[in-house]
Amino acid sequence: MSKSPPCVLVECERDWRSATPYKSLLYADRRGFAWEWLRRHAPYRHAWQSRDRLPEEFGLLAYEDPGHALADARPIWSPGIDPSVLASHPIRLPATAAEDMLDIRKLSQFVSVEIDDADIEHWLLTDGQWIVRLDLHDGTLLGGPVFLGHALSGFRAAEPGIAALRQLGALATAGQMPPALRPREPRAVRWVLELRTADAMISGASHQDMARAFYGKTATGERWRLENGSFRLRIQRLARTARKYLDDPFCGPWFSARGSHP
């Protein structure tokens, strides 16, 4: 995606000076960070207003309002960008245990769906932190319990789908996501700081403003660039990374199961 200046965020955007409004992201699926960067991406915000580009160009099956933070957003990522999407088919069996069937009606508080021209149902189940994506090929999940078969192939390539299937099974059985299967992203603290840096840049804050907000009184003073070189370098690195993600929201490890990107 081409580079462009940062966009002006909606009036209700988070206060970057405080870590509190970003706290929920510490427990979010890493794909949530893809959305947080995409909604700050100037070309996407322009396309949301003008509808002059297809949402698929931004990895989405349908437009999502960039004014919605992750807790309220329901972006449905294309299976072409998200390796965790389960490709599923209904299977008819004469006698199937209820615990092996998915009744989407019992999970309605978590559900969003898009149906494409080929009648494929693209389902998103999320509470704003954990995410499960399922594409139903043939049939429908609407109307009652369905026994599903899932297409998985390979070994390493199947790992994201296996993890998603484990989450879906627990969700279908218990009606909620168990703590053991909720996202635990070890780099979330760093990623949140990068988002705060981006919001600071968009608001016109200086590097010293950021250092003061992130690191407190130890990064203050008129000679902070000389006397606090380590803080200055940290902010410079954060700003470079933030600029990179503002220019290209998908260059991070958001859809990599193993997080192979730095």
Side-chain angles (χ1 to χ4, degrees):
M1 296 180 182
S2 60
K3 292 186 177 182
S4 57
C7 58
V8 177
L9 295 182
V10 293
E11 293 181 0
C12 61
E13 189 54 85
R14 298 181 175 98
D15 177 9
W16 65 268
R17 292 174 180 81
S18 171
T20 301
Y22 300 81
K23 187 176 180 180
S24 63
L25 289 172
L26 297 174
Y27 310 97
D29 187 292
R30 62 173 53 197
R31 288 167 289 181
F33 286 88
W35 169 247
E36 287 292 343
W37 286 110
L38 181 60
R39 76 188 193 94
R40 290 164 170 79
H41 185 49
Y44 178 75
R45 295 181 71 87
H46 173 79
W48 158 257
Q49 294 288 343
S50 65
R51 295 300 200 274
D52 60 349
R53 297 172 64 177
L54 296 174
E56 288 85 351
E57 296 182 48
F58 300 97
L60 295 172
L61 294 174
Y63 275 109
E64 179 69 18
D65 187 346
H68 292 163
L70 181 61
D72 301 311
R74 296 297 180 265
I76 301 182
W77 301 108
S78 164
I81 193 173
D82 184 357
S84 299
V85 177
L86 288 168
S88 305
H89 301 263
I91 298 176
R92 296 185 181 276
L93 294 178
T96 302
E99 60 266 25
D100 282 332
M101 303 182 76
L102 175 62
D103 190 346
I104 203 68
R105 299 171 301 178
K106 295 182 179 180
L107 304 173
S108 59
Q109 71 269 36
F110 304 127
V111 164
S112 298
V113 63
E114 289 289 333
I115 302 176
D116 64 23
D117 293 338
D119 291 329
I120 297 174
E121 297 179 356
H122 304 276
W123 291 88
L124 169 70
L125 296 90
T126 181
D127 69 345
Q129 293 185 330
W130 54 260
I131 296 170
V132 177
R133 270 281 287 112
L134 180 152
D135 283 357
L136 188 71
H137 301 259
D138 304 323
T140 182
L141 293 184
L142 300 171
V146 180
F147 184 82
L148 296 175
H150 311 280
L152 296 170
S153 59
F155 294 111
R156 183 173 180 180
E159 290 178 4
I162 293 171
L165 183 56
R166 187 176 295 114
Q167 286 182 308
L168 180 62
L171 188 61
T173 301
Q176 59 185 352
M177 191 65 68
L181 295 181
R182 288 179 174 272
R184 296 180 181 179
E185 177 51 60
R187 287 181 286 179
V189 172
R190 173 74 179 189
W191 292 350
V192 165
L193 196 57
E194 291 164 355
L195 280 168
R196 290 177 65 189
T197 301
D199 291 343
M201 293 165 57
I202 290 168
S203 72
S206 68
H207 282 195
Q208 187 175 9
D209 292 334
M210 298 179 212
R212 186 179 294 113
F214 298 162
Y215 306 116
K217 294 182 179 180
T218 54
T220 61
E222 295 181 359
R223 293 172 54 82
W224 83 280
R225 289 181 177 275
L226 298 175
E227 298 173 353
N228 297 280
S230 63
F231 293 116
R232 177 173 55 85
L233 291 175
R234 290 184 204 176
I235 295 298
Q236 288 175 344
R237 286 195 293 267
L238 286 168
R240 283 196 298 269
T241 301
R243 167 59 62 190
K244 178 178 69 174
Y245 292 153
L246 286 171
D247 289 337
D248 182 0
F250 298 108
C251 66
W254 328 129
F255 296 99
S256 169
R258 295 180 179 275
S260 58
H261 295 267

